[in-house]
Amino acid sequence: MSTSAISVREGEVLALLGEHLSNAEISSRLFISVRTVESHVSALLRKLDVVDRRALARRAAELASAERPRPASALPMPLTAFVGRVRERAELAEAVKTRRQVTAVGPGGVGKTRLALAVAAEAAGDFADGVWFVDLAPVLDPGRVGAAVAAAVGVGEQPGRGIDEAVLAALADRQALLVLDNCEQIRDGVAPFLERLLVACPRLRVLATSRARMMVPFEWVFPVPPLSFADGGDSEAVTLFMERAAAVGRPPDPAVRERIAALCERLDGMALAIELAAARWPTLGLDGLTAGLSDQLRILAGGPRADDRHRSVRAALDWSHDLLEPHDRALLRRISVFAMPFTADAATEVAAFAPLDPAAVSDGLGRLAEQSLLTATPSAAGTRYQALETIRQYGTERLADAAELTDVRSRHLGRCLAGATALTAAEGTDRPARFDALAEDMRAALAWAAGRPEQRADAYRLALAMGELTFARNLLGEAQQRFEQAAALAGDGDGDGAGVGDGAPALREAAAVAGCRRLGDDMLRLHRAAAEAARRAGDTVGAGRDLATAATVAYRFSSEFTRVPTADEVTAVLAEARELSEGGDPAAEAALALAEAAVLADAFGAVQGAADNTAHETVELAERAVELAGRAGDPVAESAALDALSGALTWAGDSFGAAAAARRRIAVLRPVPGTPAATHERMDALAMAAGTALGVGDLPQARRWGRQLADQPLFAEVGHHAMSWLLIADAFAGRAEEVLAGSTEFLDAWRRSGLQRSFSLGPAAASVAMTHGLRGDHEARADWLAVVDRAGTASEHRHGYGAVFDALVLLHHGDPDAALLRLAPEPDQVWKWVSWIWLHWYVALRAEASVLAGHPDARDRIAAARITVVGNPVATAQLDRAEGLLDGDVTRQLAAAAAFDAAGCPYQSARTLLLAGPAHAEDGRVALADLGLTDG
């Protein structure tokens, strides 16, 4: 068969088959896909009438001496393989087939030229007269565009005809693709030349690359995006980095692909930047590259290149910068201070000073976007502009070179401070979005201002505002950092006389945020620091109040410390607080009274608390703290004092009084704005309300409080704390499906938290373990008991809630002797651990276990327990059931089942039916199955 039917590309494939290359090698050599190679091989087998690749290779050798079809001109052969861009290649190839003139537009270094070459190479077979490539980078005269095209396609000067006309005549009937690279610096010459060319050459297609579009009606613009990094370690950006890094001798370990993805994201997916970073891989490694990206323009540089623009990111940006008019250069450097997308109004506020007026700013933003130096994103709220990070760094350098850095940064700081101030006073559902739109700019402005003495006052105010705003946005770590930063900027203790205020209020706010984060060590540190700041500011009474609060924190939140303060340490802090609090200030007196209730009488049942304090003394001290806090008019302090009273009443055995005090806390806090201190107090109040409601058998109310606690915005990232009381309430009720569903969130969040320990986390984990036990899954129960050991405190688990939950499981599985052994101590022997919210459960279970185990004191234990649990519907029903079992009174047992249902405890209702005998056992099994439990 004649070879005249073989296309140019098929001839190239055939020649490479003659060199015995694989399809993948041919794909790499010709910059086409493997699938395209396979298609060409199939066509060659058919056209040359041979049976396999080996025969094709022989035929290629036979034809080697013959003149082979050649393209009208060759494309430049890149020295590295093309990576990724599957979607862009397909879209751009389709555009080239259907549009007369396509412009691939994007910033320098994004990869426009490589993409255009790849598309042109793959599309070459669709153009009978081939593909021409014209690099316009060296052309500086707009009138020389035609000459550059003529040189590329082989058209010479002709007598009586200009070079442009010669090109038009030579290409008039050609079916070809013309690739014009780097059109940006001579757009004024390219656009009119292309208009004449496309009219005169109807079968010609043009693919141009430029940093700015031509702005002509016959142009179809294809924006070239950065390389995608959305797929993390599997993204195009990472693939490019891995391949280029491997080429320089030391391929990265695949295990670091996700970290490389983060690096590529910081490089904005810019192909040139990624390639230059990969080239530094062998000497800097990932850590060095990551650290160096704070100065991308310095680190992203390579060796000499044929085209100096590709030697470094700086060189690429210099090229773009030099093409700008002076006013646009000024605007580019001034808007580099914006870290977030910004509006024209914002740019005007910061950049509109000589030589720029407001109109020049608005107009210039459009031109910078046209030059791909800004991205413009239209929205219902208006157009927003943004520069890539490398362009921002470049602009900042230019800002310093122009001696405008301080002026522009100061304007930017003023704008951020005004925005932050407005946000702190704002309300409405759009407040979070408004904060997000300004957040990075506020951070950048604060970072700049914090180190400059002349800006210290503004930096202090901005740090305070950001503390409040980040707290409201649930960014607790940053909120604490900002309040501490504000305290440092207050400068009351730095000795330089440059202070702008008292740092104590900011430190108190930071301590409250630390409380919301359950960081006991930080709470104590910050309250003591606040005391020191107040003392330096001459506020000795305030210092005494802060020290009293520090002492209270050490005992009240003792389970949230990594190093629990000793009793001697805290007593010393309390003694110092007394010395400073003399003078009759109501707030200081209230704080001191609460500290005495906490430390001297252990109202909160602290880890380091003594076991021999008297309940009567504890209640008296707590009541005094409540009275003084109310007199001082401080709802937050009153709530804390009520918490002490709630604890003291549990030691006195008054569970209902404890629950009432907990409910009162919520009422006191209801009208208080959501400051960090109020929010911390409110979350604790909800937890205690849920716990004390459980303690008196009000399971529906406990679940409502637990649900409100779980729905607190600040608990969004700490599901283990959010779910704790809800899990316990559902476990007591027997709602197994809800417990198991919530336990997954609890466990994941607890692990993410670093395996925190707390008074509420241990019981929550134990409630999940109990639920698995009631389901008969003892392996899962053992796993969760291991969590209990790490999430709670040992003594509480051994003598308090652990005894209750273990006894419930043992009784469920028909082992009352083991249950009674678990509950063997008399309540007054373990009062500190059971008298909080577990007392009623403990005494009722102990009485029931005594009945089922045949203990001789069973009836006496029922009678004693009744006195303790009077008013508790669940515990009372449990004692009624126990007495019915003791007396063989089935009617009384069934009445107890109804009482359990009325109290919101379906598990105990179902278990009652099992205990009531064969006539009711099947109903009990069905009820348990509906709850997701077994019958033991």
Side-chain angles (χ1 to χ4, degrees), residues 230-253:
D231 293 332
D234 296 325
S235 66
E236 293 177 340
V238 172
T239 301
L240 177 64
F241 184 98
M242 298 288 283
E243 181 166 316
R244 298 297 190 262
V248 295
R250 186 164 66 89
D253 188 327

Side-chain angles (χ1 to χ4, degrees), residues 23 79 117 159 199 226 276 328 343 372 456-457 532 535 584 633 674 714 717 749 770-771 774 780 809:
N23 285 358
L79 299 178
L117 285 173
V199 170
L276 291 170
D328 290 346
T343 64
S372 299
R456 194 168 189 168
E532 186 60 28
R535 196 198 315 255
L714 290 189
E717 302 298 327
M770 180 190 77
T771 301
L774 299 181
V809 173

Side-chain angles (χ1 to χ4, degrees), residues 349 413-428 430-432 434-435 438 442 461-462 464-466 468-469:
E349 191 174 339
L413 172 64
R415 181 179 184 278
C416 289
L417 182 56
T421 303
L423 276 175
T424 57
E427 296 180 355
D430 66 336
R431 186 186 183 197
R434 291 171 60 192
F435 168 79
L438 189 59
M442 289 192 294
R461 288 191 287 271
L462 182 56
L464 275 180
M466 285 193 67
E468 180 178 336
L469 292 170

Side-chain angles (χ1 to χ4, degrees), residues 656-711:
F656 285 95
R663 291 194 302 272
R664 185 176 159 193
R665 292 179 66 191
I666 294 175
V668 165
L669 292 169
R670 189 169 289 119
V672 181
T675 64
T679 301
H680 180 215
E681 198 64 40
R682 185 173 287 113
M683 291 193 301
D684 185 75
L686 285 169
M688 293 305 100
T692 53
L694 280 169
V696 297
D698 191 350
L699 295 184
Q701 185 62 67
R703 194 173 198 282
R704 282 192 287 273
W705 293 135
R707 181 73 267 167
Q708 286 187 35
L709 184 67
D711 290 340

Side-chain angles (χ1 to χ4, degrees), residues 2 57 179 339 341-342 507 523 529 567 656 704 791 836 869 917 931 935:
S2 169
V179 180
F342 57 90
L507 289 166
M523 289 183 73
F656 285 95
R704 282 192 287 273
W836 179 38
V869 307
L931 292 171
D935 63 357

Side-chain angles (χ1 to χ4, degrees), residues 267 272-274 276-278 280 289 293 295-302 311-314 390:
L267 295 172
L272 175 61
I274 291 170
L276 291 170
R280 305 296 302 274
L289 282 171
L293 289 188
D295 187 358
Q296 294 185 17
L297 300 178
R298 178 183 60 82
I299 198 171
L300 299 180
R311 179 176 183 174
S312 68
V313 170
R314 186 191 304 279
T390 50

